[in-house]
Amino acid sequence: MSGIEVHQVTEDRPDLLEALVAVRAVTDREVNPDDPPAPAEEVAAELFSEWAMVRHLGFVALVDGSPAGELGLAAEKTEENAHLVDVEWLAVDPAHRRRGVADALLRTGLDWAADDGRTAAVLWAPTLPGGAGRAYAERCGATLRLEERCSRLPVAELDQDRQDEWLRAGRERTDGYRIVQWVGATPEEHLDALAEAHRAMEDMPTDELDWTVPPMTPERLRSRDEVWAAQGRCNVSTLALAPDGAAAGLSELQINTHRPVLAAQGDTGVVADHRGHGLGRWLKAENLRLALETEPRIRVVETYNAESNPWMLDINVAMGFRPHVGYQALQGDVVAMRTIVG
């Protein structure tokens, strides 16, 4: 329809940032009705702080000058995934739906992807009651590749007795495993070990998604830590070390300083050679303990897991996490999808 304009949100256009924030306050409420809305400072930090592995871009649709929809892209800069762009968030204000806004946004995103040499696009669709995310992505030529579960742990419902049991079991170990913890940027003396611990993530389930878990390096960790600090994300880290001092596992959690009631569980994993020793529960329990001590205002911790990852799902369910919303990742060819969208 006429009257639809799509603009990339840039640092020199605060009016577009304001419009995007207004749209997100409406559309995010459909997924997370109890969350405080993201302030402009948080959204700006997300879009304008670029790190070594990924670039984020935001686009806003205006209908006759009024904010109507939002598109969020994530474009990895790693060699392994240089062919891919993630459509992390494509949402339209209910007052402007069925008027071509989603198509206009996606068309702009696919044009950007093609110009940047990307050949594949992943659309992440929430499985909301009455939602049309998957159907829309399939209409645009994408096919289902992965299903994820977003789970949430209300801190008020945390089973503290179980937490204490996991903490006690870990602290009373006699097999030589130990942990180190910190808040904020990774200390120089732990950079190499933490990068090695991240290798535990390289065999996580990705199902049929054409995406490779990029290897972590100390340089990438430094860049990540700098960007997270700039974005107002305070990282809480727990690193497990084997008896010989080698990296055995990790758990990370980000405190949102813009909305401190919300926390996001980051990577948790145990290096293959050290699985089967109960490290996962210990890592999760110790990291959550430190996070809650660091920021007592946390009310909710959110985490994401592939539905095909029963091992981590079992730990999270035992910890008290409950399903919040599902996400389906649908992948397609950029040129073919652009042709369909028109």
Side-chain angles (χ1 to χ4, degrees):
M1 69 175 269
S2 60
I4 300 177
E5 299 177 7
V6 177
H7 301 276
Q8 184 176 349
V9 180
T10 54
E11 291 187 78
D12 60 345
R13 291 291 305 271
D15 58 320
L16 295 178
L17 176 65
E18 181 181 355
L20 186 149
V21 170
V23 169
R24 185 172 298 185
V26 174
T27 60
D28 186 60
R29 194 178 304 129
E30 293 184 281
V31 181
N32 306 304
D34 298 324
D35 291 358
E41 295 80 7
E42 178 180 341
V43 178
E46 168 195 316
L47 291 179
F48 308 143
S49 301
E50 186 173 338
W51 69 297
M53 294 182 71
V54 66
R55 177 186 181 191
H56 291 275
L57 302 97
F59 299 83
V60 64
L62 307 177
V63 173
D64 297 328
S66 298
E70 174 193 0
L71 173 72
L73 300 183
E76 283 195 34
K77 298 191 287 185
T78 61
E79 180 180 351
E80 296 84 0
N81 299 308
H83 66 294
L84 191 66
V85 65
D86 268 306
V87 179
E88 292 187 312
W89 189 238
L90 173 59
V92 178
D93 185 316
H96 295 283
R97 288 176 183 165
R98 301 175 187 84
R99 302 169 69 182
V101 176
D103 283 353
L105 284 162
L106 184 57
R107 185 182 305 121
T108 301
L110 293 172
D111 284 344
W112 181 92
D115 290 344
D116 198 55
R118 311 278 167 161
T119 58
V122 176
L123 280 68
W124 291 88
T127 56
L128 300 173
R134 176 176 177 177
Y136 176 76
E138 289 178 335
R139 179 174 72 78
C140 295
T143 58
L144 182 64
R145 304 294 184 90
L146 174 72
E147 296 195 67
E148 278 205 343
R149 181 191 307 180
C150 171
S151 302
R152 285 193 165 193
L153 169 65
V155 172
E157 299 175 18
L158 179 66
D159 187 337
Q160 193 58 55
D161 289 340
R162 176 164 289 163
Q163 280 287 102
D164 291 342
E165 176 187 338
W166 289 5
L167 292 169
R168 184 170 53 255
R171 293 171 182 179
E172 293 177 354
R173 306 178 71 102
T174 59
D175 54 7
Y177 284 97
R178 60 188 179 89
I179 62 167
V180 291
Q181 296 184 282
W182 60 88
V183 176
T186 308
E188 190 71 26
E189 64 268 27
H190 298 314
L191 270 172
D192 288 340
L194 185 62
E196 182 62 28
H198 269 278
R199 297 192 66 88
M201 310 306 299
E202 293 180 16
D203 62 356
M204 70 179 186
T206 56
D207 295 6
E208 301 303 315
L209 200 62
D210 180 18
W211 175 75
T212 302
V213 180
M216 187 61 75
T217 65
E219 293 74 25
R220 287 174 172 176
L221 279 174
R222 288 192 192 95
S223 174
R224 183 203 71 174
D225 288 351
E226 291 170 359
V227 169
W228 280 359
Q231 291 178 342
R233 288 199 263 177
C234 177
N235 196 40
V236 179
S237 302
T238 301
L239 172 67
L241 299 173
D244 63 358
L250 82 158
S251 186
E252 297 178 317
L253 181 149
Q254 291 86 50
I255 297 168
N256 183 342
T257 63
H258 300 287
R259 292 182 288 171
V261 297
L262 304 176
Q265 176 67 54
D267 288 338
T268 296
V270 177
V271 177
D273 290 345
H274 302 281
R275 292 171 185 165
H277 296 280
L279 292 175
R281 285 176 167 78
W282 187 26
L283 283 162
K284 293 271 286 191
E286 290 284 9
N287 206 57
L288 181 59
R289 175 198 59 76
L290 179 57
L292 295 177
E293 288 180 2
T294 302
E295 180 47 88
R297 291 176 292 178
I298 295 173
R299 293 205 316 260
V300 173
V301 181
E302 185 173 87
T303 191
Y304 290 80
N305 304 102
E307 289 288 358
S308 55
N309 188 353
W311 307 278
M312 191 54 65
L313 284 171
D314 285 349
I315 291 178
N316 286 334
V317 169
M319 201 170 189
F321 283 90
R322 297 294 178 261
H324 177 59
V325 64
Y327 282 90
Q328 296 174 318
L330 297 99
Q331 188 167 342
D333 178 82
V334 165
V335 173
M337 292 175 67
R338 178 64 180 83
T339 300
I340 292 171
V341 174

